[in-house]
Amino acid sequence: MEALAKRVGERLEAGREVLVTAESCTGGWAAQAVTAVTGSSAWFDRGFITYSNAAKQEVLGVRPETLRQHGAVSEETAREMARGALERSAATIALSITGVAGPGGGSAGKPVGTVCFAWSRGAEVHSETHRFAGDRESVRRQSVILALEGVLKALAGG
């Protein structure tokens, strides 16, 4: 994860881009990973930890209708989290993570390990849903890695 965060920082700095994070189930781990990199103040603006639905609404502007219709663990919510973080920061690219890390909280439709991601850059927003195996820490770790890999893809135009 350290090497990946360093690569993300190098790509952001080279492209004069600035990152913002919006996290729920990872509790700020993505922000911690990137700020562990020396010099991150040049390319990291801030991180939002919006664990509750109320925080998602109040801090990031996630619409109550989105949460009612799709739930907190949905690509729709992840997309609104990423857009909200970008709009509420000085960043040029945002990542968001929302999911069910476990061990409880899952359902038939959204079992433990279901995590939704979004990346927003300018008007573009891309989202994905993944299901990870493992315990709570493993799901969270895998989520941070995938989110950072997604930043690299977004910077490459993918």
Side-chain angles (χ1 to χ4, degrees):
M1 190 181 310
E2 291 173 25
L4 175 59
K6 186 175 180 185
R7 276 200 337 266
V8 167
E10 289 168 352
R11 292 288 305 280
L12 288 163
E13 191 165 17
R16 298 194 194 299
E17 301 270 0
V18 177
L19 178 66
V20 62
T21 60
E23 302 180 66
S24 184
C25 67
T26 49
W29 197 346
Q32 188 281 328
V34 297
T35 58
V37 176
T38 301
S40 57
S41 60
W43 46 265
F44 182 75
D45 182 51
R46 68 189 74 183
F48 296 98
I49 302 170
T50 54
Y51 208 70
S52 70
N53 285 354
K56 288 174 181 65
Q57 292 174 65
E58 293 165 14
V59 176
L60 297 174
V62 173
R63 296 175 304 138
E65 312 83 76
T66 301
L67 292 165
R68 272 195 306 276
Q69 291 176 7
H70 304 285
V73 181
S74 65
E75 288 188 36
E76 292 82 2
T77 295
R79 292 169 72 85
E80 289 187 22
M81 288 172 66
R83 278 195 299 264
L86 201 57
E87 291 168 1
R88 290 160 174 80
S89 70
T92 59
I93 186 167
L95 72 80
S96 69
I97 307 168
T98 183
V100 185
S107 66
K110 296 175 185 176
V112 169
T114 302
V115 184
C116 300
F117 302 85
W119 299 269
S120 182
R121 186 175 181 218
E124 295 179 32
V125 183
H126 173 75
S127 60
E128 300 175 4
T129 299
H130 292 266
R131 290 213 172 106
F132 299 112
D135 63 11
R136 182 177 180 81
E137 182 172 351
S138 177
V139 168
R140 292 171 50 153
R141 175 178 291 280
Q142 292 173 82
S143 296
V144 171
I145 290 168
L146 191 136
L148 294 178
E149 288 172 344
V151 171
L152 291 175
K153 287 181 193 171
L155 291 170

